[in-house]
Amino acid sequence: MNYSMGIDVGGTHTDAVLLNSQQEIVAFTKQPITADVMQGIGRAVEVILAQSSINPAQIDRAMLGTTHCTNAIVERKNLEPVAHFRLGAPATLAVLPLVNIPANFREKLSVHLFTVSGGYHYDGQLLAALDEEMIRRQLYSVKGLVSAVSVCGVFSPVMDTQERLVGEIAQEILGPDIAISLSSEIGCIGLLERENAAILNAALCGVAQSLTNGFKETLLQHNISAPLYFGQNDGTLMPVKQARRLPILTIASGSTNSICGAAMLTDLEDALVVDIGGTTTDVGVLKNGFPRQSSLAAEIGGVRTSFRMPDITSIGLGGGSLVTFDSDGTIHVGPKSVGYQLTQHSLVFGGDTLTVTDIAVANGWANIGDPGKLAHLCSKQMQRVASHYVAMVERTLERMNTSLSDMPVILVGGGACLLPIGLRGASKVIRPAHASVANATGVAIAKVSGSVDTIVSTGTETLEACLLQAEKQARKAAVEAGAIPDTVRIIELESLPLGYMPGNTVRIRAKAAGTLSTCLSPDQD
């Protein structure tokens, strides 16, 4: 029998699960986060191998969901120097690159900016020819000064020829190992946001390299040589090679992993998912078996980007959230939290800090620590606090539910036991077995996907024909990513008329996903 291993690195714990070929969990663990993340991953792997007593050679795929790239952007750390080329002169000279990035972030970025002639119209017709000689001179001027090159052309998602040519020239001059970030592979229509995403993606190349190498080496130390995959923010997987090229797509993968894991653990395809951690609670929507995507531009560390993100609302409520009272009795829950130090500070563990975990234990919802250490607390006061933080969650559920009726609510995360099995606005509340490792479960069972985002004119062909063509392209992309052809299905298809453009112009998005094939080479990179 073959097995799949899923690992998710969160803010307080590293979670791991081992699934058999019937997608049954045969081993799982939650390990405290460590300063050296790979050390924590290694410990989690050791535990699940010991629990299952299987031969490591039986693991035929390993998946990782991680916050590495998110942390690098939010903390402005470990970002590589970049040479960025905007292909859009003279049409785009009025607005310079990085203009909508916060000043304190621009100071942390090392970006050599070049705007040259190039770009396309919305229908793929040439806007301006590419000035290859100027690009070559500019690349020679930064040789030895940058670790990556990003390229963003006007309407490149419609026609990416110029972007790819600049990438080829960059590798010719700066070397074949230089990281290349093409905006057409990352973002949607919209120049500035797509440009930001491309630059951030390029700046993350060093983080991606160390992350993928570290994960591979950690598994090899445990005699696991399976193909490696990384969770991305739409709830699907990408192989190591793609993760190195497009690390920004791993951002927000933790929340999507939890939503996908909730679907697997409950066999539900439509539900609200409440993921409760040590510091925050994330509420998302499960739609047709996948996380509902946000219609808003993604903002990462204060930077607006154009790739789609899961529709998630986060509130400052977790197992370690501090509970305090004003002199007039007003209750405050969070956002401050003891986080991963819960077992040191919470009352039920012998500490001196009142937390949400203590409140849940006092109300009989959670069986954690020593309830006897709460005997001095006023039961009515604890009920008031419980009602207060439950109402915080219920208000969030109300905002996230766009349907006309109540929906099922799935509780997952390490703090899943902190809420009662009964919430206003929920048709039913489910706390599945293994809820605490839903995130690792989600990445372990995730599918692979392919997508297309393009602008077409329906003057010469029908909208139905254009949609069908987009479907075919998305299916093909999913298969190329490693999906079994017979399992691929369309999970997203939409058209948006663009009234500000001439003719019958329509933007079409399509995404397909399918089961990951087992017939893959372990040496993907």
Side-chain angles (χ1 to χ4, degrees):
M1 180 178 289
N2 292 330
Y3 297 84
S4 300
M5 182 173 63
I7 298 173
D8 187 276
V9 181
T12 57
H13 287 87
T14 296
D15 300 343
V17 298
L18 192 67
L19 275 63
N20 61 22
S21 53
Q22 282 76 47
Q23 293 195 339
E24 298 167 332
I25 297 177
V26 297
F28 68 96
T29 186
K30 292 181 74 73
Q31 295 294 320
I33 200 73
T34 57
D36 179 357
V37 174
M38 291 304 158
Q39 181 180 349
I41 291 175
R43 176 58 183 158
V45 172
E46 289 176 7
V47 171
I48 61 174
L49 287 177
Q51 284 182 10
S52 61
S53 300
I54 69 165
N55 184 340
Q58 292 178 275
I59 299 176
D60 63 1
R61 67 189 76 181
M63 294 80 159
L64 176 66
T66 176
T67 58
H68 271 70
C69 293
T70 305
N71 294 342
I73 292 176
V74 172
E75 298 172 8
R76 278 71 157 146
K77 292 181 179 179
N78 303 317
L79 301 175
E80 299 291 330
V82 177
H84 175 67
F85 291 84
R86 179 194 282 183
L87 315 182
T92 66
L93 292 177
V95 181
L96 299 177
L98 302 182
V99 68
N100 60 347
I101 289 183
N104 65 343
F105 200 166
R106 286 200 300 270
E107 294 170 358
K108 298 291 184 179
L109 284 171
S110 175
V111 184
H112 301 261
L113 299 173
F114 304 102
T115 300
V116 300
S117 65
Y120 295 91
H121 290 284
Y122 75 94
D123 59 357
Q125 297 298 310
L126 189 67
L127 175 65
L130 196 64
D131 190 338
E132 294 184 36
E133 288 306 312
M134 178 177 286
I135 290 170
R136 289 179 181 276
R137 290 196 300 271
Q138 291 166 337
L139 283 167
Y140 277 117
S141 73
V142 297
K143 190 171 185 177
L145 302 178
V146 299
S147 303
V149 171
S150 59
V151 191
C152 181
V154 177
F155 281 114
S156 61
V158 177
M159 181 68 70
D160 64 359
T161 304
Q162 289 182 346
E163 282 195 354
R164 294 192 177 279
L165 178 56
V166 174
E168 292 170 1
I169 296 172
Q171 289 185 317
E172 172 192 327
I173 293 174
L174 304 182
D177 296 329
I178 194 76
I180 304 296
S181 175
L182 305 182
S183 76
S184 56
E185 295 183 327
I186 301 168
C188 307
I189 306 299
L191 180 66
L192 296 181
E193 290 81 7
R194 176 162 45 87
E195 185 170 59
N196 291 343
I199 293 171
L200 291 182
N201 186 72
L204 289 169
C205 67
V207 174
Q209 189 72 21
S210 61
L211 170 63
T212 53
N213 287 344
F215 188 41
K216 184 175 182 178
E217 291 170 5
T218 298
L219 295 185
L220 287 175
Q221 291 171 4
H222 295 85
N223 300 314
I224 299 172
S225 57
L228 311 182
Y229 294 86
F230 289 77
Q232 50 184 336
N233 55 28
D234 64 353
T236 61
L237 298 170
M238 57 182 172
V240 168
K241 188 174 182 179
Q242 185 179 351
R244 287 177 176 167
R245 194 176 78 252
L246 303 172
I248 200 168
L249 297 185
T250 67
I251 288 174
S253 63
S255 300
T256 59
N257 291 339
S258 293
I259 295 173
C260 293
M264 182 267 190
L265 295 173
T266 60
D267 289 327
L268 291 178
E269 290 204 335
D270 297 280
L272 293 164
V273 179
V274 180
D275 181 12
I276 311 167
T279 302
T280 62
T281 291
D282 297 332
V283 180
V285 182
L286 184 63
K287 183 179 180 181
N288 296 325
F290 286 87
R292 184 175 75 190
Q293 298 292 294
S294 174
S295 59
L296 303 176
E299 189 168 301
I300 309 163
V303 181
R304 284 174 61 87
T305 65
S306 65
F307 64 87
R308 303 190 77 186
M309 294 275 278
D311 189 4
I312 301 291
T313 295
S314 297
I315 57 176
L317 169 67
S321 294
L322 273 58
V323 178
T324 58
F325 306 90
D326 287 343
S327 57
D328 62 357
T330 302
I331 299 168
H332 297 280
V333 176
K336 292 184 178 180
S337 170
V338 299
Y340 67 92
Q341 296 179 318
L342 178 70
T343 55
Q344 300 173 36
H345 296 290
S346 189
L347 296 181
V348 291
F349 293 107
D352 58 3
T353 304
L354 181 62
T355 67
V356 166
T357 295
D358 298 317
I359 304 300
V361 173
N363 282 276
W365 298 340
N367 184 19
I368 303 173
D370 182 3
K373 297 183 182 297
L374 307 176
H376 65 287
L377 298 178
C378 172
S379 60
K380 288 186 178 180
Q381 186 81 312
M382 296 305 97
Q383 291 171 10
R384 285 184 59 230
V385 177
S387 298
H388 178 86
Y389 80 71
V390 168
M392 292 171 61
V393 176
E394 291 174 336
R395 288 193 295 269
T396 307
L397 292 172
E398 183 178 8
R399 291 197 301 269
M400 294 297 287
N401 185 2
T402 57
S403 69
L404 297 177
S405 58
D406 292 345
M407 294 181 66
V409 172
I410 307 171
L411 304 180
V412 297
C417 61
L418 303 180
L419 289 173
I421 301 297
L423 295 170
R424 189 179 71 250
S427 59
K428 60 179 176 179
V429 178
I430 305 168
R431 189 188 297 128
H434 306 300
S436 64
V437 290
N439 48 5
T441 303
V443 74
I445 55 91
K447 301 179 184 296
V448 287
S449 66
S451 61
V452 60
D453 186 336
T454 187
I455 292 178
V456 300
S457 175
T458 58
T460 57
E461 53 185 336
T462 65
L463 176 60
E464 289 74 17
C466 294
L467 289 170
L468 182 60
Q469 178 63 23
E471 282 190 33
K472 290 180 179 178
Q473 292 174 347
R475 290 179 184 275
K476 180 181 178 182
V479 172
E480 290 175 348
I484 301 172
D486 291 344
T487 67
V488 175
R489 65 183 179 97
I490 297 295
I491 61 172
E492 180 182 338
L493 181 64
E494 62 180 7
S495 61
L496 176 66
L498 301 178
Y500 56 87
M501 288 187 171
N504 297 319
T505 307
V506 179
R507 179 181 179 182
I508 294 178
R509 292 192 187 118
K511 179 177 287 186
T515 303
L516 181 64
S517 172
T518 57
C519 302
L520 298 168
S521 169
D523 187 13
Q524 300 166 303
D525 54 342

